[in-house]
Amino acid sequence: MKIICTLFITIIFSAAALATQPSIYGENGVVVAHDLEACEAGIEILKKGGNAVDAAVAVSYALAVTHPQAGNIGGGGFMLIHMADGQKVAIDYREMAPGQAHRDMFLDDSGKVVPQLSVRGGLAVGVPGTVAGLQLALDKHGSMERKKVMKPAIKLAQKGFTIPYDLAYSFGWLNKAAEGFDETRRIFCRDGEIYMPGETFKQPDLAKTLKLIQKKGNAGFYTGPVAEAMVKSSSKYGGKISSQDLMNYTAKIRKPVIGNYRGLEVISMPPPSSGGIALISMLNMMEPMVFDSVGWHSAQHIQMIAEVEKRAYADRSVWLGDSDYFDVPQDKLLSKEYATLRMADYDSLTITPSDSIYPLNDKDLAGIELIGQESEETTHFSVVDKWGNAVSVTTTLNWSFGSYVTVDGFGFLLNNEMDDFSSKPGEPNSFGLIGNEANAIEPKKRMLSSMTPTILAQDGKVVLIVGAPGGSTIITTVLQVIHNMVDFGMPVHDAVNVPRFHHQWRPDVIHYGPGSISPDTMVLLEAMGYELVPRYGYGEVNAISRDKIFGGWVGAPDLKTASHGAAY
Ligand code: DON
């Protein structure tokens, strides 16, 4: 009976896996993203002669239509580009604090953080960056006009698309959660008559906004009727964004951070993301470790990685923030010497309690608990073209559906990215992440992110494009995909789809995904002193790797979340 059951489960699992495209192979271009429509938008642009940057802009706008939980024009993100000629560029279109923001804006008179004030409603909204960022990417490294690359998204908004189960589920959830946010419920929940899976979802208001952007570029969004409506809608819910804030928003070109792990070049996102620095710093700490005889996800393995992760997140809490406002010791944190120093107290047989891993000499951060969690959403996609140009994009409204404020009459949601600041030094945000002076709120500053769009290259040629959503788990997710491939020889599809675990220094626990740690391994870890906490929803990785046998590209969507890919 047991054998039959196992066989049955295997068949069901395989069928489900096939339905969600296990891996995709292409020689001329591959796109891996949350929705099939968005992947197809990218492929359409590639087929018309566009490069990976053109396709990435098309995918981004398409996700703003098909994936309103995270795809956006009212949020922000990061685009990492590796052009075939070797140029490496990071485009920062992270949201900025409004000019009227101030350090204590989320505290009450007694200096306590007011729950939810930085998470829902107008004060949670940062000045959106996506439209400016996509334009900057197109201007600097694209080859097509905005008019063309926005076409697929506008068509999806006008003609609609079939609502998949996961989106219908999210809309149903939003219908209850967004009580009082009437425009949000009107657009996404049909005023309470929730959408069923399989229905067609048309967004005429969003189509109108996209057309304005298509015609006028940044001016169509950051000035004029859309900008006016953004100011009004956010202020209706207590927000402080002004037309000046919108007019002055700029996306920035940044120099990616670059490291080296076992001969591979690791290119990733610099501040205002913590992702690149923390990722490279963890890889540096891991490089002296030998994994040859270590069993994957054995107690020994989990101990090694958890100890590395803890140290990097402790450093994150003190040293990382917007480098335009805080002097981030980037070179030091990225150096192999620092990694050696950081691991000096590592003992391969025991736990180092988080209490004794204070970031350098800061001893004031003990005893902080993770506050309640809810559904979370960000989205990552990867693109490669026939010339070998590669693009890695992570974009977000922060939490699922952002601040819940939809811009009246224009059909799009505003982010709740202000929660990524440290509302009060030493207090955790909604991801349990602790920040300090480096990430304190200041007018026009960019809040610290964990988003980690990353590209790996060997001898100057791209071999992996990777990134993930998942709040604080983003960085350890990207780390584990790279680690699975480099140290355990997994093909990209396995590296993306095996379960993961996570330690972020505070709280002092190992979070683990379903099936990640076997019960007897847990006993061994607990005997060492680790506390283990289950966690669902480990970030949807959407990766592409160079195929060593056939020479083309393999797209690996995350099957845990029914993600997609397309190729040609
Ligand atoms: O920038 C950040 O790190 C967060 N705003 C990302 C949020 C996120 O990933 C939500 N969930 N998947």
PDB file of all heavy atoms in Angstrom, residues 53 78-83 85-92 136-137 140-141 252-258 267-270 390-392 453 455:
ATOM      1  N   VAL A  53      17.719  44.317 -22.359  1.00  0.00           N
ATOM      2  CA  VAL A  53      17.235  45.467 -21.573  1.00  0.00           C
ATOM      3  C   VAL A  53      15.847  45.885 -22.081  1.00  0.00           C
ATOM      4  O   VAL A  53      14.932  46.132 -21.284  1.00  0.00           O
ATOM      5  CB  VAL A  53      18.243  46.643 -21.645  1.00  0.00           C
ATOM      6  CG1 VAL A  53      17.696  47.876 -20.928  1.00  0.00           C
ATOM      7  CG2 VAL A  53      19.583  46.212 -21.049  1.00  0.00           C
ATOM      8  N   PHE A  78      15.420  47.281  -8.556  1.00  0.00           N
ATOM      9  CA  PHE A  78      16.817  47.340  -8.997  1.00  0.00           C
ATOM     10  C   PHE A  78      16.986  46.493 -10.246  1.00  0.00           C
ATOM     11  O   PHE A  78      16.458  45.371 -10.318  1.00  0.00           O
ATOM     12  CB  PHE A  78      17.748  46.769  -7.929  1.00  0.00           C
ATOM     13  CG  PHE A  78      17.676  47.475  -6.599  1.00  0.00           C
ATOM     14  CD1 PHE A  78      17.392  46.760  -5.450  1.00  0.00           C
ATOM     15  CD2 PHE A  78      17.922  48.841  -6.497  1.00  0.00           C
ATOM     16  CE1 PHE A  78      17.345  47.391  -4.214  1.00  0.00           C
ATOM     17  CE2 PHE A  78      17.878  49.490  -5.267  1.00  0.00           C
ATOM     18  CZ  PHE A  78      17.585  48.762  -4.120  1.00  0.00           C
ATOM     19  N   MET A  79      17.737  47.048 -11.207  1.00  0.00           N
ATOM     20  CA  MET A  79      18.057  46.271 -12.417  1.00  0.00           C
ATOM     21  C   MET A  79      19.571  46.148 -12.527  1.00  0.00           C
ATOM     22  O   MET A  79      20.276  47.157 -12.535  1.00  0.00           O
ATOM     23  CB  MET A  79      17.493  46.982 -13.656  1.00  0.00           C
ATOM     24  CG  MET A  79      17.752  46.222 -14.943  1.00  0.00           C
ATOM     25  SD  MET A  79      17.187  47.077 -16.447  1.00  0.00           S
ATOM     26  CE  MET A  79      15.420  47.010 -16.286  1.00  0.00           C
ATOM     27  N   LEU A  80      20.032  44.918 -12.622  1.00  0.00           N
ATOM     28  CA  LEU A  80      21.464  44.668 -12.795  1.00  0.00           C
ATOM     29  C   LEU A  80      21.680  44.192 -14.229  1.00  0.00           C
ATOM     30  O   LEU A  80      21.009  43.253 -14.672  1.00  0.00           O
ATOM     31  CB  LEU A  80      21.915  43.600 -11.799  1.00  0.00           C
ATOM     32  CG  LEU A  80      23.409  43.343 -11.783  1.00  0.00           C
ATOM     33  CD1 LEU A  80      24.156  44.476 -11.090  1.00  0.00           C
ATOM     34  CD2 LEU A  80      23.703  42.032 -11.060  1.00  0.00           C
ATOM     35  N   ILE A  81      22.605  44.859 -14.914  1.00  0.00           N
ATOM     36  CA  ILE A  81      22.813  44.554 -16.336  1.00  0.00           C
ATOM     37  C   ILE A  81      24.258  44.112 -16.556  1.00  0.00           C
ATOM     38  O   ILE A  81      25.184  44.753 -16.059  1.00  0.00           O
ATOM     39  CB  ILE A  81      22.543  45.821 -17.188  1.00  0.00           C
ATOM     40  CG1 ILE A  81      21.124  46.355 -16.939  1.00  0.00           C
ATOM     41  CG2 ILE A  81      22.769  45.550 -18.669  1.00  0.00           C
ATOM     42  CD1 ILE A  81      20.853  47.724 -17.574  1.00  0.00           C
ATOM     43  N   HIS A  82      24.431  43.025 -17.308  1.00  0.00           N
ATOM     44  CA  HIS A  82      25.769  42.627 -17.767  1.00  0.00           C
ATOM     45  C   HIS A  82      25.683  42.571 -19.289  1.00  0.00           C
ATOM     46  O   HIS A  82      25.080  41.653 -19.853  1.00  0.00           O
ATOM     47  CB  HIS A  82      26.139  41.258 -17.189  1.00  0.00           C
ATOM     48  CG  HIS A  82      27.555  40.857 -17.457  1.00  0.00           C
ATOM     49  ND1 HIS A  82      28.073  40.680 -18.723  1.00  0.00           N
ATOM     50  CD2 HIS A  82      28.588  40.586 -16.608  1.00  0.00           C
ATOM     51  CE1 HIS A  82      29.339  40.326 -18.641  1.00  0.00           C
ATOM     52  NE2 HIS A  82      29.678  40.264 -17.365  1.00  0.00           N
ATOM     53  N   MET A  83      26.252  43.605 -19.935  1.00  0.00           N
ATOM     54  CA  MET A  83      26.190  43.625 -21.394  1.00  0.00           C
ATOM     55  C   MET A  83      27.233  42.641 -21.945  1.00  0.00           C
ATOM     56  O   MET A  83      28.247  42.351 -21.296  1.00  0.00           O
ATOM     57  CB  MET A  83      26.465  45.040 -21.929  1.00  0.00           C
ATOM     58  CG  MET A  83      25.456  46.099 -21.483  1.00  0.00           C
ATOM     59  SD  MET A  83      23.744  45.781 -22.007  1.00  0.00           S
ATOM     60  CE  MET A  83      23.785  46.202 -23.761  1.00  0.00           C
ATOM     61  N   ASP A  85      29.408  43.058 -24.035  1.00  0.00           N
ATOM     62  CA  ASP A  85      30.752  43.649 -24.183  1.00  0.00           C
ATOM     63  C   ASP A  85      31.470  43.799 -22.831  1.00  0.00           C
ATOM     64  O   ASP A  85      32.532  44.398 -22.749  1.00  0.00           O
ATOM     65  CB  ASP A  85      30.669  45.004 -24.894  1.00  0.00           C
ATOM     66  CG  ASP A  85      29.925  46.059 -24.074  1.00  0.00           C
ATOM     67  OD1 ASP A  85      29.568  45.780 -22.904  1.00  0.00           O
ATOM     68  OD2 ASP A  85      29.705  47.168 -24.591  1.00  0.00           O
ATOM     69  N   GLY A  86      30.852  43.318 -21.769  1.00  0.00           N
ATOM     70  CA  GLY A  86      31.523  43.317 -20.463  1.00  0.00           C
ATOM     71  C   GLY A  86      31.060  44.437 -19.534  1.00  0.00           C
ATOM     72  O   GLY A  86      31.397  44.426 -18.348  1.00  0.00           O
ATOM     73  N   GLN A  87      30.318  45.440 -20.055  1.00  0.00           N
ATOM     74  CA  GLN A  87      29.842  46.513 -19.168  1.00  0.00           C
ATOM     75  C   GLN A  87      28.927  45.943 -18.099  1.00  0.00           C
ATOM     76  O   GLN A  87      28.036  45.140 -18.408  1.00  0.00           O
ATOM     77  CB  GLN A  87      29.008  47.509 -19.968  1.00  0.00           C
ATOM     78  CG  GLN A  87      29.781  48.462 -20.824  1.00  0.00           C
ATOM     79  CD  GLN A  87      28.794  49.447 -21.450  1.00  0.00           C
ATOM     80  OE1 GLN A  87      28.379  50.404 -20.836  1.00  0.00           O
ATOM     81  NE2 GLN A  87      28.404  49.163 -22.688  1.00  0.00           N
ATOM     82  N   LYS A  88      29.127  46.427 -16.882  1.00  0.00           N
ATOM     83  CA  LYS A  88      28.284  45.977 -15.767  1.00  0.00           C
ATOM     84  C   LYS A  88      27.671  47.204 -15.119  1.00  0.00           C
ATOM     85  O   LYS A  88      28.399  48.111 -14.703  1.00  0.00           O
ATOM     86  CB  LYS A  88      29.118  45.227 -14.731  1.00  0.00           C
ATOM     87  CG  LYS A  88      29.884  44.052 -15.297  1.00  0.00           C
ATOM     88  CD  LYS A  88      30.875  43.546 -14.261  1.00  0.00           C
ATOM     89  CE  LYS A  88      31.799  42.497 -14.827  1.00  0.00           C
ATOM     90  NZ  LYS A  88      32.888  43.020 -15.631  1.00  0.00           N
ATOM     91  N   VAL A  89      26.354  47.225 -15.036  1.00  0.00           N
ATOM     92  CA  VAL A  89      25.663  48.425 -14.560  1.00  0.00           C
ATOM     93  C   VAL A  89      24.551  48.047 -13.594  1.00  0.00           C
ATOM     94  O   VAL A  89      23.813  47.080 -13.835  1.00  0.00           O
ATOM     95  CB  VAL A  89      24.999  49.162 -15.756  1.00  0.00           C
ATOM     96  CG1 VAL A  89      24.368  50.467 -15.304  1.00  0.00           C
ATOM     97  CG2 VAL A  89      25.998  49.413 -16.866  1.00  0.00           C
ATOM     98  N   ALA A  90      24.431  48.824 -12.529  1.00  0.00           N
ATOM     99  CA  ALA A  90      23.298  48.631 -11.612  1.00  0.00           C
ATOM    100  C   ALA A  90      22.410  49.859 -11.709  1.00  0.00           C
ATOM    101  O   ALA A  90      22.897  50.987 -11.589  1.00  0.00           O
ATOM    102  CB  ALA A  90      23.798  48.461 -10.188  1.00  0.00           C
ATOM    103  N   ILE A  91      21.134  49.642 -11.959  1.00  0.00           N
ATOM    104  CA  ILE A  91      20.207  50.774 -12.009  1.00  0.00           C
ATOM    105  C   ILE A  91      19.357  50.749 -10.743  1.00  0.00           C
ATOM    106  O   ILE A  91      18.716  49.750 -10.427  1.00  0.00           O
ATOM    107  CB  ILE A  91      19.357  50.746 -13.284  1.00  0.00           C
ATOM    108  CG1 ILE A  91      20.334  50.798 -14.465  1.00  0.00           C
ATOM    109  CG2 ILE A  91      18.370  51.917 -13.317  1.00  0.00           C
ATOM    110  CD1 ILE A  91      19.809  51.178 -15.770  1.00  0.00           C
ATOM    111  N   ASP A  92      19.422  51.867 -10.032  1.00  0.00           N
ATOM    112  CA  ASP A  92      18.751  51.982  -8.733  1.00  0.00           C
ATOM    113  C   ASP A  92      17.508  52.841  -8.916  1.00  0.00           C
ATOM    114  O   ASP A  92      17.612  54.034  -9.160  1.00  0.00           O
ATOM    115  CB  ASP A  92      19.753  52.610  -7.747  1.00  0.00           C
ATOM    116  CG  ASP A  92      19.102  53.231  -6.518  1.00  0.00           C
ATOM    117  OD1 ASP A  92      17.897  53.011  -6.288  1.00  0.00           O
ATOM    118  OD2 ASP A  92      19.821  53.934  -5.789  1.00  0.00           O
ATOM    119  N   LEU A 136      15.480  55.068 -17.597  1.00  0.00           N
ATOM    120  CA  LEU A 136      16.942  55.214 -17.552  1.00  0.00           C
ATOM    121  C   LEU A 136      17.615  53.986 -18.184  1.00  0.00           C
ATOM    122  O   LEU A 136      18.558  54.111 -18.974  1.00  0.00           O
ATOM    123  CB  LEU A 136      17.390  55.387 -16.092  1.00  0.00           C
ATOM    124  CG  LEU A 136      18.871  55.645 -15.855  1.00  0.00           C
ATOM    125  CD1 LEU A 136      19.331  56.937 -16.537  1.00  0.00           C
ATOM    126  CD2 LEU A 136      19.168  55.730 -14.346  1.00  0.00           C
ATOM    127  N   ALA A 137      17.095  52.816 -17.855  1.00  0.00           N
ATOM    128  CA  ALA A 137      17.663  51.577 -18.416  1.00  0.00           C
ATOM    129  C   ALA A 137      17.558  51.587 -19.939  1.00  0.00           C
ATOM    130  O   ALA A 137      18.515  51.273 -20.658  1.00  0.00           O
ATOM    131  CB  ALA A 137      16.928  50.367 -17.847  1.00  0.00           C
ATOM    132  N   LYS A 140      19.950  54.197 -21.557  1.00  0.00           N
ATOM    133  CA  LYS A 140      21.394  53.915 -21.490  1.00  0.00           C
ATOM    134  C   LYS A 140      21.773  52.621 -22.195  1.00  0.00           C
ATOM    135  O   LYS A 140      22.847  52.525 -22.771  1.00  0.00           O
ATOM    136  CB  LYS A 140      21.857  53.806 -20.025  1.00  0.00           C
ATOM    137  CG  LYS A 140      21.713  55.092 -19.251  1.00  0.00           C
ATOM    138  CD  LYS A 140      22.805  56.069 -19.627  1.00  0.00           C
ATOM    139  CE  LYS A 140      22.601  57.389 -18.902  1.00  0.00           C
ATOM    140  NZ  LYS A 140      23.459  58.457 -19.383  1.00  0.00           N
ATOM    141  N   HIS A 141      20.916  51.609 -22.094  1.00  0.00           N
ATOM    142  CA  HIS A 141      21.340  50.299 -22.611  1.00  0.00           C
ATOM    143  C   HIS A 141      20.316  49.591 -23.496  1.00  0.00           C
ATOM    144  O   HIS A 141      20.591  48.504 -23.994  1.00  0.00           O
ATOM    145  CB  HIS A 141      21.745  49.389 -21.440  1.00  0.00           C
ATOM    146  CG  HIS A 141      22.930  49.919 -20.715  1.00  0.00           C
ATOM    147  ND1 HIS A 141      24.210  49.774 -21.179  1.00  0.00           N
ATOM    148  CD2 HIS A 141      23.021  50.659 -19.586  1.00  0.00           C
ATOM    149  CE1 HIS A 141      25.042  50.393 -20.360  1.00  0.00           C
ATOM    150  NE2 HIS A 141      24.349  50.933 -19.387  1.00  0.00           N
ATOM    151  N   LYS A 252      19.083  56.206 -10.422  1.00  0.00           N
ATOM    152  CA  LYS A 252      20.532  56.408 -10.426  1.00  0.00           C
ATOM    153  C   LYS A 252      21.263  55.213 -11.010  1.00  0.00           C
ATOM    154  O   LYS A 252      20.860  54.069 -10.795  1.00  0.00           O
ATOM    155  CB  LYS A 252      21.035  56.620  -9.004  1.00  0.00           C
ATOM    156  CG  LYS A 252      20.483  57.876  -8.386  1.00  0.00           C
ATOM    157  CD  LYS A 252      21.244  58.262  -7.135  1.00  0.00           C
ATOM    158  CE  LYS A 252      20.702  59.607  -6.638  1.00  0.00           C
ATOM    159  NZ  LYS A 252      21.414  60.141  -5.508  1.00  0.00           N
ATOM    160  N   ILE A 253      22.357  55.545 -11.706  1.00  0.00           N
ATOM    161  CA  ILE A 253      23.234  54.461 -12.168  1.00  0.00           C
ATOM    162  C   ILE A 253      24.282  54.248 -11.089  1.00  0.00           C
ATOM    163  O   ILE A 253      24.897  55.211 -10.622  1.00  0.00           O
ATOM    164  CB  ILE A 253      23.889  54.848 -13.504  1.00  0.00           C
ATOM    165  CG1 ILE A 253      22.790  54.996 -14.533  1.00  0.00           C
ATOM    166  CG2 ILE A 253      24.978  53.860 -13.892  1.00  0.00           C
ATOM    167  CD1 ILE A 253      23.115  54.657 -15.933  1.00  0.00           C
ATOM    168  N   ARG A 254      24.438  53.009 -10.661  1.00  0.00           N
ATOM    169  CA  ARG A 254      25.415  52.709  -9.608  1.00  0.00           C
ATOM    170  C   ARG A 254      26.395  51.657 -10.110  1.00  0.00           C
ATOM    171  O   ARG A 254      26.104  50.917 -11.048  1.00  0.00           O
ATOM    172  CB  ARG A 254      24.730  52.165  -8.361  1.00  0.00           C
ATOM    173  CG  ARG A 254      23.584  53.010  -7.874  1.00  0.00           C
ATOM    174  CD  ARG A 254      23.766  53.389  -6.440  1.00  0.00           C
ATOM    175  NE  ARG A 254      22.668  54.172  -5.929  1.00  0.00           N
ATOM    176  CZ  ARG A 254      22.819  55.301  -5.244  1.00  0.00           C
ATOM    177  NH1 ARG A 254      24.022  55.793  -5.003  1.00  0.00           N
ATOM    178  NH2 ARG A 254      21.771  55.954  -4.781  1.00  0.00           N
ATOM    179  N   LYS A 255      27.537  51.628  -9.438  1.00  0.00           N
ATOM    180  CA  LYS A 255      28.549  50.612  -9.774  1.00  0.00           C
ATOM    181  C   LYS A 255      28.203  49.328  -9.018  1.00  0.00           C
ATOM    182  O   LYS A 255      28.083  49.360  -7.790  1.00  0.00           O
ATOM    183  CB  LYS A 255      29.908  51.111  -9.292  1.00  0.00           C
ATOM    184  CG  LYS A 255      31.009  50.929 -10.292  1.00  0.00           C
ATOM    185  CD  LYS A 255      32.207  51.698  -9.852  1.00  0.00           C
ATOM    186  CE  LYS A 255      33.342  50.703  -9.763  1.00  0.00           C
ATOM    187  NZ  LYS A 255      34.515  51.232  -9.142  1.00  0.00           N
ATOM    188  N   PRO A 256      28.006  48.222  -9.707  1.00  0.00           N
ATOM    189  CA  PRO A 256      27.678  46.988  -8.971  1.00  0.00           C
ATOM    190  C   PRO A 256      28.802  46.620  -8.002  1.00  0.00           C
ATOM    191  O   PRO A 256      29.949  47.007  -8.215  1.00  0.00           O
ATOM    192  CB  PRO A 256      27.578  45.923 -10.071  1.00  0.00           C
ATOM    193  CG  PRO A 256      27.476  46.656 -11.354  1.00  0.00           C
ATOM    194  CD  PRO A 256      28.120  47.988 -11.163  1.00  0.00           C
ATOM    195  N   VAL A 257      28.453  45.864  -6.965  1.00  0.00           N
ATOM    196  CA  VAL A 257      29.516  45.304  -6.117  1.00  0.00           C
ATOM    197  C   VAL A 257      29.965  43.984  -6.760  1.00  0.00           C
ATOM    198  O   VAL A 257      29.149  43.264  -7.344  1.00  0.00           O
ATOM    199  CB  VAL A 257      29.053  45.069  -4.659  1.00  0.00           C
ATOM    200  CG1 VAL A 257      28.902  46.378  -3.930  1.00  0.00           C
ATOM    201  CG2 VAL A 257      27.758  44.273  -4.584  1.00  0.00           C
ATOM    202  N   ILE A 258      31.260  43.731  -6.663  1.00  0.00           N
ATOM    203  CA  ILE A 258      31.795  42.546  -7.344  1.00  0.00           C
ATOM    204  C   ILE A 258      32.655  41.735  -6.373  1.00  0.00           C
ATOM    205  O   ILE A 258      33.476  42.303  -5.644  1.00  0.00           O
ATOM    206  CB  ILE A 258      32.615  42.963  -8.584  1.00  0.00           C
ATOM    207  CG1 ILE A 258      31.687  43.696  -9.549  1.00  0.00           C
ATOM    208  CG2 ILE A 258      33.274  41.746  -9.259  1.00  0.00           C
ATOM    209  CD1 ILE A 258      32.256  44.069 -10.877  1.00  0.00           C
ATOM    210  N   ILE A 267      28.529  39.348  -9.380  1.00  0.00           N
ATOM    211  CA  ILE A 267      28.195  40.760  -9.605  1.00  0.00           C
ATOM    212  C   ILE A 267      26.825  40.990  -8.982  1.00  0.00           C
ATOM    213  O   ILE A 267      25.871  40.265  -9.293  1.00  0.00           O
ATOM    214  CB  ILE A 267      28.148  41.045 -11.124  1.00  0.00           C
ATOM    215  CG1 ILE A 267      29.468  40.601 -11.768  1.00  0.00           C
ATOM    216  CG2 ILE A 267      27.856  42.518 -11.410  1.00  0.00           C
ATOM    217  CD1 ILE A 267      29.311  40.068 -13.161  1.00  0.00           C
ATOM    218  N   SER A 268      26.707  41.993  -8.130  1.00  0.00           N
ATOM    219  CA  SER A 268      25.413  42.148  -7.458  1.00  0.00           C
ATOM    220  C   SER A 268      25.120  43.606  -7.122  1.00  0.00           C
ATOM    221  O   SER A 268      25.864  44.509  -7.498  1.00  0.00           O
ATOM    222  CB  SER A 268      25.382  41.250  -6.215  1.00  0.00           C
ATOM    223  OG  SER A 268      24.055  41.143  -5.741  1.00  0.00           O
ATOM    224  N   MET A 269      24.020  43.814  -6.415  1.00  0.00           N
ATOM    225  CA  MET A 269      23.463  45.156  -6.211  1.00  0.00           C
ATOM    226  C   MET A 269      24.123  45.861  -5.021  1.00  0.00           C
ATOM    227  O   MET A 269      24.169  45.323  -3.924  1.00  0.00           O
ATOM    228  CB  MET A 269      21.952  45.014  -5.988  1.00  0.00           C
ATOM    229  CG  MET A 269      21.202  46.309  -6.129  1.00  0.00           C
ATOM    230  SD  MET A 269      21.249  46.970  -7.818  1.00  0.00           S
ATOM    231  CE  MET A 269      21.121  48.726  -7.481  1.00  0.00           C
ATOM    232  N   PRO A 270      24.618  47.077  -5.250  1.00  0.00           N
ATOM    233  CA  PRO A 270      25.226  47.851  -4.160  1.00  0.00           C
ATOM    234  C   PRO A 270      24.154  48.582  -3.338  1.00  0.00           C
ATOM    235  O   PRO A 270      22.967  48.504  -3.687  1.00  0.00           O
ATOM    236  CB  PRO A 270      26.068  48.870  -4.926  1.00  0.00           C
ATOM    237  CG  PRO A 270      25.278  49.136  -6.176  1.00  0.00           C
ATOM    238  CD  PRO A 270      24.620  47.815  -6.521  1.00  0.00           C
ATOM    239  N   ALA A 390      22.710  40.162 -20.405  1.00  0.00           N
ATOM    240  CA  ALA A 390      21.920  39.548 -19.330  1.00  0.00           C
ATOM    241  C   ALA A 390      21.373  40.612 -18.396  1.00  0.00           C
ATOM    242  O   ALA A 390      22.058  41.594 -18.094  1.00  0.00           O
ATOM    243  CB  ALA A 390      22.796  38.588 -18.547  1.00  0.00           C
ATOM    244  N   VAL A 391      20.132  40.395 -17.947  1.00  0.00           N
ATOM    245  CA  VAL A 391      19.495  41.367 -17.047  1.00  0.00           C
ATOM    246  C   VAL A 391      18.831  40.623 -15.890  1.00  0.00           C
ATOM    247  O   VAL A 391      18.125  39.634 -16.085  1.00  0.00           O
ATOM    248  CB  VAL A 391      18.446  42.215 -17.802  1.00  0.00           C
ATOM    249  CG1 VAL A 391      17.815  43.235 -16.872  1.00  0.00           C
ATOM    250  CG2 VAL A 391      19.076  42.933 -18.992  1.00  0.00           C
ATOM    251  N   SER A 392      19.052  41.142 -14.696  1.00  0.00           N
ATOM    252  CA  SER A 392      18.501  40.556 -13.481  1.00  0.00           C
ATOM    253  C   SER A 392      17.737  41.663 -12.750  1.00  0.00           C
ATOM    254  O   SER A 392      18.328  42.682 -12.394  1.00  0.00           O
ATOM    255  CB  SER A 392      19.691  40.065 -12.639  1.00  0.00           C
ATOM    256  OG  SER A 392      19.299  39.360 -11.520  1.00  0.00           O
ATOM    257  N   PRO A 453      19.383  41.247  -6.954  1.00  0.00           N
ATOM    258  CA  PRO A 453      19.556  40.770  -8.333  1.00  0.00           C
ATOM    259  C   PRO A 453      21.044  40.538  -8.566  1.00  0.00           C
ATOM    260  O   PRO A 453      21.872  41.394  -8.251  1.00  0.00           O
ATOM    261  CB  PRO A 453      19.023  41.941  -9.174  1.00  0.00           C
ATOM    262  CG  PRO A 453      19.118  43.145  -8.302  1.00  0.00           C
ATOM    263  CD  PRO A 453      18.949  42.653  -6.888  1.00  0.00           C
ATOM    264  N   ILE A 455      24.316  38.442 -10.926  1.00  0.00           N
ATOM    265  CA  ILE A 455      24.775  37.753 -12.142  1.00  0.00           C
ATOM    266  C   ILE A 455      26.147  37.150 -11.848  1.00  0.00           C
ATOM    267  O   ILE A 455      26.992  37.806 -11.238  1.00  0.00           O
ATOM    268  CB  ILE A 455      24.841  38.748 -13.332  1.00  0.00           C
ATOM    269  CG1 ILE A 455      23.422  39.237 -13.688  1.00  0.00           C
ATOM    270  CG2 ILE A 455      25.521  38.123 -14.554  1.00  0.00           C
ATOM    271  CD1 ILE A 455      23.341  40.301 -14.774  1.00  0.00           C
TER     272      ILE A 455
END
